[in-house]
Amino acid sequence: MNEDIRIHSWPCSYYLDTSKQWVSGRLSLTPVAIKFTADKTGELLVNFHLSSIGEIKKESSNLIFSSLTILEKNTKHWFSSLQPNRNVVFNILEHFWREQLLSSQGAGAEAAALQSTKGKELTGLLTGSQKRLEDTAKVLHYQGEQFDNIMRGLNKIEGDMDVADRLLTELESPSWWPFSSKLWKVPLETKPKETATVSDSKNQEGIIIRIPVIITHRTDSNVKPGKLTLFASGLEISDCNSQVIHRFESKDVDDIRVHTPYEISVRQRFIGKPDTSYRLLSAKMPEAIPVLEMQFSKKIQFLEDALGFVGARKSPQVDLGTSMWQA
């Protein structure tokens, strides 16, 4: 994967140990590296691989200024005056660093990622195709269950209409009519069975994919780690403790915007009150986007920085294009 792909960029200051002073510039994150470029000179002062990081911590410089430190091999890098704030930068950097360590590449995988063979590309294509077929089968299976439930519901409506017709006939009958007492028991026999059917269908719903994400809600200064779970019937956003933050049913989703191959936003519109919108960032998002495109084909929109992702995902080794999140 190309290191020039820029996922995020934040204004900040970097402590330059050679001159013993703070230098203003921009801290940038790519899928595999961290970089810092000085504003005045445009010089690249920091450039190291994520796998070489030993620790990321929140600290204070001179006991006053809040800072973020990154231990890279035997060198400690200090970053301060981070915008929008230190917590946002820390959560995102830690997420991509952790996912890099959990990946199969490990330390020194930069060269291995750049030197792929045609055999590996074909294997990746076959694996991706198999995964998409499995996802499609799950979606079709759930849709078949939905059609079965619709038919049961129509049969129940038809039965209820017959019962209602008979009840109306009873109300119009004189009080001495001898056959009225049996009619009231019919709805009580059918209602529990239908409730059990709906409950069983809900329990049978399976998870298509679940990935770790960084969640942004309303303001860019308030982010937190969590999980995104995709079902055949919709999607669910939860925190690190698996507590549900919000669940979108398929019919509730008005649009999904793909800002970059690593970042999407999901929105539900309302009339007379603010929309419900979440912005989700993840190192695993390229695996979830094809599933979202399949489920929400008429509602998903690829923005300018993500237009190349549609063609690039067909080959795992093709660069995905540059992007940047405006803080």
Side-chain angles (χ1 to χ4, degrees):
M1 185 174 290
N2 196 336
E3 283 196 8
D4 293 334
I5 301 173
R6 187 166 55 180
I7 299 173
H8 283 291
S9 180
W10 304 276
C12 69
S13 297
Y14 173 69
Y15 185 73
L16 191 59
D17 190 59
T18 55
S19 60
K20 305 297 180 183
Q21 64 178 354
W22 290 92
V23 179
S24 61
R26 299 191 74 87
L27 174 65
S28 302
L29 170 67
T30 74
V32 294
I34 291 178
K35 302 179 181 182
F36 178 84
T37 307
D39 284 339
K40 292 184 178 180
T41 62
E43 183 181 359
L44 186 63
L45 300 178
V46 172
N47 184 10
F48 53 84
H49 201 275
L50 287 173
S51 61
S52 65
I53 297 177
E55 187 180 43
I56 301 178
K57 293 178 62 177
K58 301 176 186 178
E59 298 188 42
S60 297
S61 58
N62 298 327
L63 303 178
I64 299 176
F65 301 105
S66 62
S67 302
L68 186 69
T69 62
I70 301 177
L71 181 63
E72 179 251 337
K73 296 181 179 178
N74 295 325
T75 305
K76 195 171 188 178
H77 302 273
W78 288 77
F79 300 92
S80 187
S81 303
L82 294 157
Q83 298 179 17
N85 60 58
R86 181 179 63 174
N87 290 334
V88 170
V89 181
F90 174 81
N91 287 330
I92 295 176
L93 290 181
E94 187 187 43
H95 168 80
F96 278 85
W97 173 49
R98 186 191 306 112
E99 293 302 323
Q100 179 71 20
L101 295 179
L102 293 176
S103 68
S104 59
Q105 295 180 357
E110 179 182 359
L114 296 175
Q115 298 175 355
S116 61
T117 63
K118 291 296 182 181
K120 290 183 179 180
E121 291 184 9
L122 292 174
T123 302
L125 286 172
L126 291 174
T127 303
S129 299
Q130 181 181 2
K131 185 65 169 61
R132 299 290 81 76
L133 288 173
E134 292 175 356
D135 296 340
T136 304
K138 291 179 181 178
V139 173
L140 292 176
H141 175 72
Y142 182 75
Q143 289 178 345
E145 292 181 344
Q146 287 182 318
F147 284 125
D148 291 341
N149 292 335
I150 290 174
M151 293 304 300
R152 295 191 190 99
L154 291 175
N155 293 334
K156 182 179 181 300
I157 292 173
E158 184 178 0
D160 290 344
M161 292 178 66
D162 292 339
V163 172
D165 184 61
R166 284 181 287 173
L167 293 178
L168 289 174
T169 303
E170 180 187 1
L171 292 176
E172 296 173 355
S173 302
S175 58
W176 48 265
W177 187 251
F179 303 107
S180 60
S181 59
K182 297 180 181 180
L183 297 176
W184 294 98
K185 297 181 180 180
V186 177
L188 297 177
E189 297 176 359
T190 58
K191 188 173 182 180
K193 295 181 181 179
E194 185 62 28
T195 303
T197 302
V198 175
S199 178
D200 292 341
S201 175
K202 192 69 176 178
N203 293 332
Q204 292 175 0
E205 182 181 15
I207 296 174
I208 298 177
I209 188 173
R210 175 178 286 163
I211 60 173
V213 294
I214 299 295
I215 305 167
T216 304
H217 184 46
R218 295 185 180 179
T219 61
D220 291 341
S221 59
N222 182 22
V223 303
K224 57 183 177 181
K227 299 176 183 178
L228 170 65
T229 305
L230 299 182
F231 302 94
S233 61
L235 58 92
E236 187 175 272
I237 302 171
S238 57
D239 59 18
C240 292
N241 298 321
S242 298
Q243 297 294 321
V244 177
I245 298 176
H246 192 84
R247 180 183 174 99
F248 290 93
E249 299 295 338
S250 296
K251 60 182 178 61
D252 297 333
V253 177
D254 288 312
D255 62 69
I256 297 178
R257 295 186 177 184
V258 182
H259 301 274
T260 73
Y262 301 93
E263 189 170 14
I264 67 170
S265 60
V266 185
R267 181 174 60 168
Q268 179 183 6
R269 294 191 182 96
F270 293 97
I271 299 176
K273 63 178 181 178
D275 298 342
T276 299
S277 179
Y278 289 89
R279 195 155 176 157
L280 307 173
L281 170 72
S282 175
K284 301 292 185 182
M285 193 62 73
E287 300 176 10
I289 289 178
V291 182
L292 290 170
E293 187 180 9
M294 179 177 60
Q295 288 186 257
F296 304 96
S297 57
K298 296 182 179 180
K299 300 179 181 180
I300 193 168
Q301 176 185 5
F302 288 84
L303 301 185
E304 183 177 356
D305 289 338
L307 286 176
F309 178 65
V310 180
R313 70 168 185 234
K314 297 179 182 178
S315 177
Q317 307 301 332
V318 178
D319 297 340
L320 300 180
T322 58
S323 61
M324 180 180 73
W325 181 26
Q326 300 292 341

